[in-house]
């Protein structure tokens, strides 16, 4: 079965500094990979996704992520964070369990705190 | 824009009550999902459906059932609510396996 690990439960970054959120997955074939963001009291919003092709994907709000098959990783980056980026971030893998929709498997999330 | 609407943002129910959580999507998506979100555990898949009247168990189906009588509507049912089902419940829909899931705002359920 597929799994997702987000090693960092909390990360604190100063406003204007760069950000990298880590995500490692476990799956036998090429997975479909996603990053979602959740602001307090809200549902999840898709930041970006990887299905195939270029391993560096651009998303909304200035985020990007790089798929590294050799490391089974899909880390999320942003060159300069803003206070509004404070939120919960979830990495997810959609790998299929035998047909149909099958759903996504999520990591446990990384809580991003922005210091002024 | 795709819209996934959950009927309630907050619910308080008593132990033993039958609880219905409703979800409607307006983009003719084939697939619909119910997740449960708990601090430190992330999102866990309860049930999903890839067609009307079709349902599949996710990772934590115990204590839950679902109904999908129409394509746009997917209901989560707690047959006899218990305090350990106090949680945030998120509904989602997607067009296909390779497309992203769109989420509703969530229903925070408290069972007392």
């Amino acid at each position: 079965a597929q799994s997702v690990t987000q090693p960092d439960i909390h990360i604190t970054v100063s406003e204007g500094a760069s950000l990298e959120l880590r995500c490692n997955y476990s799956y036998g074939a090429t997975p479909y990979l996603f990053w979602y963001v959740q602001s307090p009291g809200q549902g999840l919003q898709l930041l970006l996704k990887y299905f195939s092709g270029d391993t560096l994907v651009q998303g909304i709000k200035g985020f990007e992520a790089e798929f590294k098959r050799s490391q089974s990783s899909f880390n999320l980056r942003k060159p300069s964070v803003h206070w509004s980026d404070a939120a919960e971030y979830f990495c997810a893998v959609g790998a299929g369990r035998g047909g149909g929709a099958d759903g996504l498997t999520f990591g446990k999330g990384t809580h991003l705190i922005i210091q002024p | 824009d795709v819209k996934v609407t959950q009927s309630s943002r907050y619910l308080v129910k008593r132990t033993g009550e039958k609880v219905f959580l409703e979800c409607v999507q307006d983009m003719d998506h084939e697939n619909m999902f119910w997740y449960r979100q708990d601090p430190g555990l992330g999102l866990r898949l309860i049930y999903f459906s890839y067609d009307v009247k079709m349902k599949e168990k996710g990772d934590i189906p115990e204590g839950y059932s679902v109904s999908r009588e129409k394509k746009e509507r997917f209901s989560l049912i707690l047959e006899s609510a218990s305090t350990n089902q106090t949680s945030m419940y998120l509904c989602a829909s997607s067009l296909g396996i390779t497309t992203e899931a769109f989420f509703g705002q969530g229903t925070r359920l408290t069972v007392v």
Side-chain angles (χ1 to χ4, degrees):
Chain A
Q2 66 269 25
S3 66
V4 177
T5 301
Q6 293 180 246
D8 305 303
I9 298 173
H10 301 279
I11 281 189
T12 300
V13 178
S14 298
E15 190 169 15
S18 63
L19 170 70
E20 182 169 34
L21 302 183
R22 295 183 291 165
C23 172
N24 293 97
Y25 68 90
S26 173
Y27 183 62
T30 301
Y32 307 123
L33 294 162
F34 307 82
W35 273 100
Y36 283 86
V37 60
Q38 185 181 34
S39 298
Q42 302 296 314
L44 276 68
Q45 180 184 21
L46 180 72
L47 285 175
L48 45 77
K49 60 188 177 185
Y50 172 78
F51 292 154
S52 64
D54 192 348
T55 56
L56 184 63
V57 293
Q58 302 297 321
I60 62 171
K61 305 185 180 186
F63 286 92
E64 67 177 25
E66 186 171 13
F67 171 60
K68 293 186 177 180
R69 183 189 302 275
S70 61
Q71 298 176 19
S72 296
S73 70
F74 188 57
N75 294 347
L76 181 72
R77 301 194 294 250
K78 187 170 184 178
S80 177
V81 298
H82 185 263
W83 63 267
S84 60
D85 293 323
E88 192 84 14
Y89 290 80
F90 292 96
C91 181
V93 60
R97 308 182 196 192
D102 295 20
L104 299 174
T105 297
F106 284 84
K108 294 183 179 181
T110 297
H111 184 62
L112 177 63
I113 300 166
I114 306 297
Q115 280 185 336
Chain B
D1 283 350
V2 175
K3 191 161 187 181
V4 179
T5 303
Q6 295 182 229
S7 54
S8 304
R9 290 295 302 272
Y10 301 93
L11 275 179
V12 180
K13 296 292 182 180
R14 295 194 180 277
T15 302
E17 275 193 80
K18 190 169 186 176
V19 181
F20 293 86
L21 303 184
E22 306 288 345
C23 175
V24 176
Q25 51 97 1
D26 65 358
M27 283 300 291
D28 203 35
H29 282 174
E30 303 293 331
N31 310 312
M32 296 189 75
F33 312 85
W34 276 106
Y35 291 89
R36 171 177 171 160
Q37 182 180 15
D38 299 288
L41 297 179
L43 280 76
R44 293 176 291 168
L45 182 64
I46 305 172
Y47 267 97
F48 63 95
S49 168
Y50 52 89
D51 201 354
V52 175
K53 297 191 184 294
M54 303 301 289
K55 59 185 179 183
E56 294 284 345
K57 293 180 180 179
D59 297 314
I60 52 164
E62 296 78 19
Y64 304 94
S65 63
V66 291
S67 172
R68 194 169 181 199
E69 297 295 319
K70 294 185 178 181
K71 191 175 185 179
E72 68 270 19
R73 186 180 297 271
F74 193 36
S75 302
L76 180 69
I77 304 156
L78 287 66
E79 295 289 342
S80 178
S82 64
T83 55
N84 63 12
Q85 293 178 308
T86 291
S87 187
M88 170 72 89
Y89 290 88
L90 291 165
C91 176
S93 72
S94 73
L95 185 58
I97 190 173
T98 62
T99 60
E100 68 266 30
F102 293 86
F103 283 82
Q105 294 289 81
T107 297
R108 185 166 294 282
L109 172 67
T110 302
V111 182
V112 297

